[in-house]
Amino acid sequence: HLATSLPLPSERDHLRPRIDLIAFMIDIKSKYSLKNVEASLAHVDASFFLGKVCFLVTGVGRVNYCSVEMNAIWKLGEVYCSPVLFCELELEGIRVATAQRLVRMLQICAGHIPGVSALCFGSLMRNSADD
Amino acid sequence: MDETVAEYIRRTVLKIPRDEIKTMLQKWGFLSETQLQTINFHQIKENISQDVVQLCEENSADIKQAAVLDIIYNHIYPNKRVWSVYQMNKTGEETEFFDLTDFKKKFKRRLRSALKNVTINFREYEDNAIWIRIAWGTPYTKPNQYKTSYVVYHSQTPYVFVSASVLKSNLPLLCQALVVASNYHDIREMELRSHSLNSLKDIVFKRYSQNFQTYCPRPLQERNVAPESADLRIIQENRHEKERIQRVNREVFGDGPQPQLEFAQYKLETMFKSDSKMDVLDKKEPFRCMVKFSSPHLLESLKSLAPAGMADAPLSPLLTCIPQKARNYFKIREKKSLFPGSFMKIIFKDHYRAWGRRDSWNIDVSKKFPSSFSGY
């Protein structure tokens, strides 16, 4: 499901399946996208932050056009205890690889991988990032 | 043949893309078919131009013929120059019969009476367009063929398109000559400038697709809107909002291609409005500021702003009125302003590559074809 911001429009509530993973996309070239994500985070139930939220930062290939500070992004990841992924949507290889990562995460969050829970995976990702 | 004429012809030929040289020479008609057959158009342009000059030498070309070649070049590539639009006025309703010979005679006489050293050439085209090429000299020097102005006059309209190039001081003289020759009373410059001559004509002759106000008391339930993505697994949560934006956009901009403009410039002479905490100026004087939007295709970029999520829909009328008002240079003043709500309120969700000096912003609204919107 694609949405431009949260909260989701209520008229489709009955059509929506259970949400297993929320990926917030931040375009590193647009300060507005960061602001939009920060505003939308306020509408997310606390239980999602136990491994079912991640931040996807796009547009990292073009270094000259960064508008968003890296510190702000790291801080966001820390404050909301969620992993931060970086990708460049314009390159097919990276796009496909990122999609595969997200699908993997989704499988874990949906409970399809026995023995690994979303929370456990989330803390695994966070610990490896700190190293 | 004069040295200067030879050099001028050579340089004009060098400007033409190699694949077009033969057709353009044929249009020119000064060299015969047999002469053109003798030129090898596959060699480098340098050599082609030498061959052409050689043949012109045989035919004893003079500056008049060389000027015609220049007009033909500029007619096919008008977008290399910047064009401004002038509108002529006459009091009285009589539509006089337009006499081309009379126009040319009066124009030349008026211009030459003020400045002897000018080269004037005319060429008519099918759409009632008269192209005038003027090479300017001074009272003491011969006309400089490289300092030319072009005028395109559609005789059935009060509009004149002028590409003045460097010598702005000759503009009043040119305007006077036009008014006298065309039997109008006065002429004024419109605040409309662009590289694309055809787009200027589209705007002024209202040939672009205009929006029609459609009044829908209730939003229609669009069930058969074409899905953006063929993949049915992707579900757009904000589809209604997207559809609203498309609808508003279509109402404002119409369906067809937009005229091509490169700039919109807004000079603000308004008071700085802020809450009292942010007292920037002690004295209450107008805050002078200029905002300039630039893009390879400004109107298409503006049209794609709301669908790309870069601005709210509907856009500010200051931006969307550009084709209707036939202007892209605006002065916004405090009282008696053009629009109610005197200061410009454009909701841009991001300073998209905005940078500026202390007193002006340049906002680059470049459009990247075909699908995504970006600033690079």
Side-chain angles (χ1 to χ4, degrees), chain B residues 146-182:
Chain B
Y146 301 94
K147 287 209 163 53
T148 47
S149 301
Y150 274 86
V151 174
V152 179
Y153 174 45
H154 285 251
S155 51
Q156 305 303 320
T157 74
Y159 295 105
V160 184
F161 305 90
V162 178
S163 170
S165 101
V166 272
L167 293 173
K168 297 267 155 63
S169 55
N170 288 314
L171 263 177
L173 180 57
L174 179 61
C175 291
Q176 234 179 39
L178 281 166
V179 168
V180 164
S182 55

Side-chain angles (χ1 to χ4, degrees), chain B residues 155-339:
Chain B
S155 51
Q156 305 303 320
T157 74
Y159 295 105
V160 184
F161 305 90
V162 178
S163 170
S165 101
V166 272
L167 293 173
K168 297 267 155 63
S169 55
N170 288 314
L171 263 177
L173 180 57
L174 179 61
C175 291
Q176 234 179 39
L178 281 166
V179 168
V180 164
S182 55
N183 294 319
Y184 277 84
H185 284 130
D186 62 63
I187 183 170
R188 70 170 185 105
E189 183 175 2
M190 294 173 69
E191 300 289 334
L192 183 61
R193 254 156 255 147
S194 174
H195 278 280
S196 168
L197 177 62
N198 283 333
S199 293
L200 290 176
K201 289 190 193 183
D202 286 344
I203 291 176
V204 156
F205 300 151
K206 305 267 180 238
R207 298 194 299 214
Y208 61 97
S209 71
Q210 303 187 59
N211 55 303
F212 296 101
Q213 299 285 6
T214 52
Y215 175 61
C216 288
R218 258 193 333 276
L220 300 169
Q221 298 282 23
E222 301 261 352
R223 289 266 167 237
N224 53 348
V225 173
E228 278 179 30
S229 48
D231 193 338
L232 290 172
R233 293 176 295 177
I234 301 175
I235 296 169
Q236 301 273 2
E237 290 283 344
N238 304 96
R239 196 163 52 92
H240 285 184
E241 179 61 14
K242 284 196 198 306
E243 283 165 9
R244 183 194 75 91
I245 289 176
Q246 292 289 0
R247 197 177 59 235
V248 165
N249 232 31
R250 186 182 291 141
E251 277 170 23
V252 169
F253 288 99
D255 275 325
Q258 302 291 312
Q260 184 164 358
L261 295 173
E262 298 89 40
F263 301 106
Q265 185 174 299
Y266 299 82
K267 269 208 176 98
L268 300 177
E269 289 168 11
T270 52
M271 305 292 281
F272 186 74
K273 284 183 168 63
S274 68
D275 24 318
S276 47
K277 288 179 251 174
M278 262 189 9
D279 259 335
V280 174
L281 296 171
D282 302 326
K283 301 172 260 199
K284 290 285 174 195
E285 46 176 60
F287 190 74
R288 292 182 203 284
C289 164
M290 180 177 89
V291 178
K292 184 172 176 178
F293 293 82
S294 62
S295 162
H297 199 322
L298 182 70
L299 294 177
E300 282 292 339
S301 306
L302 292 176
K303 185 172 170 184
S304 53
L305 277 176
M310 301 299 301
D312 288 329
L315 287 177
S316 160
L318 280 165
L319 292 170
T320 56
C321 73
I322 291 173
Q324 285 105 299
K325 293 221 179 264
R327 61 188 306 168
N328 55 351
Y329 286 76
F330 295 83
K331 262 207 187 76
I332 302 176
R333 290 196 190 86
E334 185 67 29
K335 290 179 174 99
K336 301 183 207 167
S337 61
L338 295 168
F339 303 92

Side-chain angles (χ1 to χ4, degrees), chain A residues 1-4 8-9 11-12 16 29-32 62 65 90, chain B residues 234-240 242 309 349-350 352-353 368 375-376:
Chain A
H1 285 238
L2 291 179
T4 55
L8 295 174
E11 62 250 18
R12 295 183 55 88
R16 222 172 279 126
K29 302 188 297 291
S30 164
K31 282 201 179 78
Y32 169 69
R62 295 188 184 257
Y65 296 91
E90 305 221 342
Chain B
I234 301 175
I235 296 169
Q236 301 273 2
E237 290 283 344
N238 304 96
R239 196 163 52 92
H240 285 184
K242 284 196 198 306
K349 293 180 179 171
D350 185 30
Y352 207 92
R353 287 191 73 205
K368 180 185 174 198
Y376 42 80

Side-chain angles (χ1 to χ4, degrees), chain A residues 5 9 16 25 46 51 58 96-97 108-109 112 116 125 127:
Chain A
S5 63
R16 222 172 279 126
M25 295 181 64
T58 67
V96 167
I108 295 170
C109 295
H112 289 192
V116 184
M125 289 215 50
N127 288 337

